Every structure is written in C-alpha cells, then in structure tokens.
C-alpha cells in the first residue's frame, strides 16, 4: 500500500519556536507491484504495450493528448488470508505504469521456474473502498 505525505512549512512564533503548518498538497508514494508472469507472458506484454503506447514511439504523425485515453482506473483487492475473502478494495485513479522490470530466462535448469516481474505505477490519488464487489464475495 503506498504511503502519503502532507508537506508542511514552519511558521515562526515570538517564543523562539515554530509551528508546523500543513500545505495544500497531498503527495502519494509510487505504487510498486510484484506479479507472477503467466506462461504466455500475457500480463507482462499488456503492461509493456501500455507503456509503449504512452511513449508514442512508433507514430510520429498523431499524438493523443486526451488523458482519458492513456490514464486508467485500477482496483487492488486485498484478501483475508485465513478465508480468502476480499476485505478491502483500493481504487487508483489516473494510473499509468512508469517502470516495468525485465525478465530473465534460464535454459540451464531442468525445473520450471516461476517468473516474477515488478511494475511501478504513478497515479493521481486512491480511495479505500471497504466493500468488495459482490462478484468477488460470491466466488467463495
């Protein structure tokens, strides 16, 4: 879960001390996600494709500046480990991937290895939604 900060400025007083005054900013940390890469690399390729489209590296004739086309909303669902029921949804707004790790392939091992990757996301803000969607609750 990303942390957050409210920067402050020090207001001097006549007593030789200062009073912290919060600014009108609310800053969020980067969302870091580690995920298991599926056997066809579909989930890794989807993020890779999203990032390539954001950077517009192939089409120099047209560039779309409409935020709705490249910012998305994403929901992270947290589960209770004892009964695998969803307990909290975290909804991220105007989210974009900013860093995707590479993949390492090994041919010298007979055992199948679980491939993991990490992705960093930036976003505008997030909401904590205590009620998980009904379709998730009904899966168990």
């Amino acid at each position: 879960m990303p942390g957050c900060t409210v920067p402050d400025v020090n207001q001097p007083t006549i007593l030789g001390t200062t009073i912290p005054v919060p600014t009108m900013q609310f800053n969020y940390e980067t969302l870091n996600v580690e995920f298991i890469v599926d056997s066809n690399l579909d989930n890794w390729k989807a993020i890779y494709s999203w990032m390539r489209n954001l950077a517009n590296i192939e089409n120099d004739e047209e560039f779309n500046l409409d935020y709705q086309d490249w910012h998305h909303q994403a929901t992270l669902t947290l589960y209770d480990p004892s009964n695998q029921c969803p307990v909290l949804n975290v909804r991220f707004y105007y989210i974009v991937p900013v860093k995707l790790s590479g993949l390492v392939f090994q041919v010298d091992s007979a055992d199948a290895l679980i491939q993991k990757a990490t992705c960093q996301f930036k976003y505008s803000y997030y909401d904590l939604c205590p009620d998980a969607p009904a379709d998730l609750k009904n899966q168990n």
Side-chain angles (χ1 to χ4, degrees):
M1 181 74 74
C4 53
T5 59
V6 175
D8 65 303
V9 294
N10 288 328
Q11 177 181 339
T13 68
I14 60 171
L15 302 174
T17 62
T18 59
I19 299 171
V21 177
T23 63
M24 298 300 292
Q25 287 184 317
F26 197 88
N27 299 325
Y28 290 97
E29 293 177 353
T30 302
L31 172 63
N32 298 304
V33 176
E34 181 179 66
F35 61 97
I36 295 174
V37 179
D38 61 357
S39 60
N40 293 328
L41 310 178
D42 290 334
N43 52 2
W44 189 91
K45 290 188 299 186
I47 297 172
Y48 174 76
S49 176
W50 185 7
M51 292 177 73
R52 281 183 57 115
N53 288 335
L54 290 173
N56 193 40
I57 63 175
E58 290 183 349
N59 184 357
D60 62 355
E61 296 174 10
E62 178 182 330
F63 186 70
N64 188 354
L65 294 176
D66 184 6
Y67 289 138
Q68 298 305 321
D69 288 342
W70 44 275
H71 280 98
H72 296 281
Q73 179 178 309
T75 301
L76 173 66
T77 302
L78 305 177
Y79 289 87
D80 181 335
S82 63
N83 60 14
Q84 294 300 311
C85 288
V87 294
L88 179 69
N89 283 322
V90 184
R91 191 162 297 120
F92 295 88
Y93 297 90
Y94 301 103
I95 190 168
V96 292
V98 295
K99 185 176 182 180
L100 177 63
S101 69
L103 301 173
V104 177
F105 298 100
Q106 279 187 278
V107 294
D108 60 350
S109 175
D111 297 332
L113 299 174
I114 294 176
Q115 187 76 260
K116 291 185 179 180
T118 58
C119 187
Q120 290 182 352
F121 294 91
K122 297 282 187 166
Y123 51 92
S124 178
Y125 64 99
Y126 64 82
D127 285 332
L128 303 177
C129 310
D131 293 322
D135 58 334
L136 290 176
K137 287 183 180 178
N138 293 333
Q139 287 181 355
N140 294 328

